Amino acid sequence: MNLSSLGESNLNGLLDITPFVMEHKSEILENRDKKFWVTPQFMFKSFFKHEFECYSDIFNKLLMPKMGLHNSCDYRMVTFDNKTGVVTERINKENETFFMIFDIMKHYNFYNFSLEVINELIKHFCLDNDYTYTNEIKSELERLYLYDLLTMQQDRGPLNFGIVIDQNKQAKLVYYDHANMMFMGDDGLIQRFKNGNYTVQEFDEN
């Protein structure tokens, strides 16, 4: 199944997934104003919390490859039940296995979030499980850390990136959920910047 099969474009040129969701009774009832899996392959996320969050995901989709980051989730703007949001495809394919960085930290009971430590944890995890680690993972980590620094990413926690193991047991770094870059995850902050009443103390606290 590809993304286009989830619906047809509406007058705004956005894919409307409402008929598909209602027909297939996706996992939506209790979470329909937040995020849910349309199918086991595709997740929908609406503007349920912050006004700019989904735009940030789209922006990062376009900007990250220009900095050599090619293993992000893909995002596409859609509508559901008259709400605008994004749909993203699952980070791993059917024949691949995904491990969050948090899972790897938990496995070793080691919760240091520095770049060197994360790289070493991934390397040891691959070695212990007979997966192939390459130095490209470290290079990708370095580019990701630099990218997050330059875009003021507030939410690159251990739940928002990890590794995918393909059918040949080759590991690669993957990353997703980039919505909080440049305070885009907090429309209240952005509004206070616009109004000129965002204090230096408040900036330091965030």
Side-chain angles (χ1 to χ4, degrees):
M1 172 180 284
N2 57 42
L3 185 57
S4 299
S5 63
L6 297 180
E8 297 182 357
S9 297
N10 59 23
L11 294 177
N12 294 322
L14 302 181
L15 196 70
D16 183 13
I17 65 172
T18 308
F20 181 94
V21 170
M22 302 313 293
E23 178 183 351
H24 293 82
K25 304 296 183 185
S26 300
E27 257 180 59
I28 64 165
L29 296 181
E30 69 275 12
N31 296 310
R32 63 183 299 152
D33 293 325
K34 298 181 180 180
K35 59 176 72 173
F36 58 86
W37 288 100
V38 180
T39 72
Q41 184 181 2
F42 295 102
M43 173 183 277
F44 170 78
K45 178 169 68 173
S46 73
F47 289 74
F48 69 94
K49 186 177 180 182
H50 302 303
E51 178 183 355
F52 296 93
E53 191 166 319
C54 294
Y55 290 124
S56 178
D57 281 326
I58 296 293
F59 179 84
N60 281 280
K61 165 193 169 180
L62 300 174
L63 183 61
M64 289 182 113
K66 297 185 182 300
M67 291 192 63
L69 295 166
H70 301 283
N71 296 330
S72 171
C73 272
D74 190 16
Y75 293 91
R76 178 169 173 179
M77 198 75 77
V78 300
T79 60
F80 165 67
D81 197 20
N82 295 318
K83 298 180 180 70
T84 304
V86 292
V87 161
T88 181
E89 190 169 4
R90 186 179 291 276
I91 197 73
N92 58 303
K93 299 180 174 62
E94 289 185 10
N95 58 356
E96 296 178 334
T97 306
F98 169 64
F99 298 97
M100 284 190 297
I101 294 301
F102 178 78
D103 295 328
I104 299 175
M105 288 178 161
K106 187 176 180 180
H107 177 76
Y108 292 106
N109 194 29
F110 200 89
Y111 297 93
N112 184 305
F113 202 60
S114 72
L115 187 152
E116 289 297 330
V117 169
I118 293 296
N119 180 62
E120 287 301 314
L121 287 176
I122 293 173
K123 186 184 297 185
H124 281 289
F125 186 77
C126 290
L127 180 65
D128 291 345
N129 292 278
D130 195 29
Y131 301 143
T132 302
Y133 169 92
T134 66
N135 287 330
E136 175 58 25
I137 289 178
K138 183 178 180 181
S139 298
E140 191 94 356
L141 269 172
E142 291 171 347
R143 290 194 295 269
L144 182 64
Y145 269 59
L146 176 60
Y147 181 86
D148 286 344
L149 177 65
L150 293 175
T151 58
M152 297 189 291
Q153 174 60 251
Q154 307 169 69
D155 197 27
R156 182 72 62 216
L159 301 177
N160 287 350
F161 69 117
I163 58 172
V164 161
I165 311 298
D166 67 19
Q167 57 187 341
N168 298 316
K169 294 191 173 184
Q170 177 83 36
K172 70 174 180 180
L173 191 75
V174 294
Y175 24 88
Y176 49 90
D177 198 1
H178 321 295
N180 286 327
M181 65 166 290
M182 297 180 179
F183 304 111
M184 281 185 159
D186 190 336
D187 50 303
L189 278 179
I190 294 175
Q191 192 58 50
R192 291 197 293 280
F193 267 123
K194 289 179 180 178
N195 296 339
N197 59 358
Y198 192 67
T199 66
V200 172
Q201 180 182 0
E202 190 176 3
F203 183 85
D204 290 340
E205 290 173 352
N206 285 275

